[in-house]
Amino acid sequence: MKKIVLFASGSGTNVENIVTYFQHYTEITISCIFTNNAKAGVIDRCKRLEIPLLCFNKLAFSASNVLQDTLLALNPDLIVLAGFLWKVPQKMVHAFPKRIVNIHPALLPKFGGKGMYGNHVHKAVRDSGERYTGITVHFVNEHYDEGAIILQEKVAIQEEDTVETIASKVHQLEYEYYPKVIEQILMNYG
């Protein structure tokens, strides 16, 4: 049985999409969902989906070993960041090498780094005049959005596109490709 742990900071649409994708798999399970936001929409989704949830603060995440020890006890095959906004501490990256993945709502290396998430990214893409945007699934390392790229998919930007329409296009790519990439990593792992 392959085990996934998900991290989210916001509404949890990607979390729900991933949970739904794997709900009928007998060889893959979602062990737990972690959030750093006690008011995140992902909490209600976890209740409805009947997935265990753990809410943590900055101290548990980066200044102590509490969260890392909890993860080690769960022994996940893959840690999936799904709208998680904090930078993963170096000690956690080293404890789970090539076992933490993230999805970024742009074609890295452009439009990555601290503060580049959600509509901030889509606005920067639109304002730059880029003709394409997309998603990047990558392994997590010690730096924001600099880990080895696993997959990129792109979509055209039309002149009339707004930040909201760009976000919608990117979300559709996320929903289609992120679960498939997770599955591929798990099937090729170990």
Side-chain angles (χ1 to χ4, degrees):
M1 176 70 72
K2 303 288 187 178
K3 295 182 283 186
I4 300 171
V5 169
L6 294 160
F7 277 69
S9 296
S11 69
T13 57
N14 266 313
V15 166
E16 183 165 356
N17 186 55
I18 292 165
V19 169
T20 301
Y21 185 87
F22 289 109
Q23 69 185 358
H24 299 297
Y25 280 63
T26 55
E27 67 277 9
I28 298 172
T29 188
I30 310 295
S31 298
C32 189
I33 296 168
F34 289 71
T35 186
N36 60 323
N37 181 354
K39 296 178 181 177
V42 73
I43 294 169
D44 289 332
R45 290 180 197 273
C46 287
K47 289 175 187 171
R48 186 171 37 80
L49 296 166
E50 299 179 347
I51 302 286
L53 174 81
L54 190 138
C55 192
F56 61 92
N57 62 21
K58 195 79 162 175
L59 178 66
F61 187 61
S62 56
S64 76
N65 289 329
V66 171
L67 195 64
Q68 184 170 313
D69 290 346
T70 302
L71 284 168
L72 288 168
L74 287 171
N75 192 27
D77 295 284
L78 196 62
I79 298 169
V80 176
L81 308 185
F84 184 70
L85 302 181
W86 289 355
K87 185 169 121 181
V88 177
Q90 184 173 352
K91 64 184 177 180
M92 194 176 296
V93 172
H94 289 289
F96 299 96
K98 296 270 191 197
R99 289 173 48 201
I100 306 173
V101 295
N102 183 43
I103 189 164
H104 186 75
L107 299 170
L108 293 174
K110 293 181 178 182
F111 309 106
K114 186 174 181 168
M116 292 303 284
Y117 61 90
N119 283 345
H120 299 288
V121 174
H122 306 311
K123 182 178 183 324
V125 169
R126 190 198 64 198
D127 292 350
S128 74
E130 290 285 327
R131 294 181 53 219
Y132 294 93
T133 190
I135 59 167
T136 303
V137 180
H138 64 92
F139 286 109
V140 172
N141 67 11
E142 299 85 9
H143 308 285
Y144 279 113
D145 303 323
E146 293 183 14
I149 292 172
I150 302 165
L151 172 88
Q152 288 187 310
E153 290 293 334
K154 67 182 180 177
V155 63
I157 299 173
Q158 306 303 321
E159 194 173 316
E160 66 274 7
D161 276 337
T162 64
V163 169
E164 292 75 22
T165 59
I166 293 170
S168 178
K169 291 178 178 185
V170 170
H171 283 306
Q172 291 310 308
L173 291 176
E174 291 173 349
Y175 302 151
E176 179 179 353
Y177 289 101
Y178 205 19
K180 292 175 184 175
V181 172
I182 293 166
E183 179 183 21
Q184 181 182 16
I185 294 167
L186 287 171
M187 292 301 111
N188 293 326
Y189 176 78

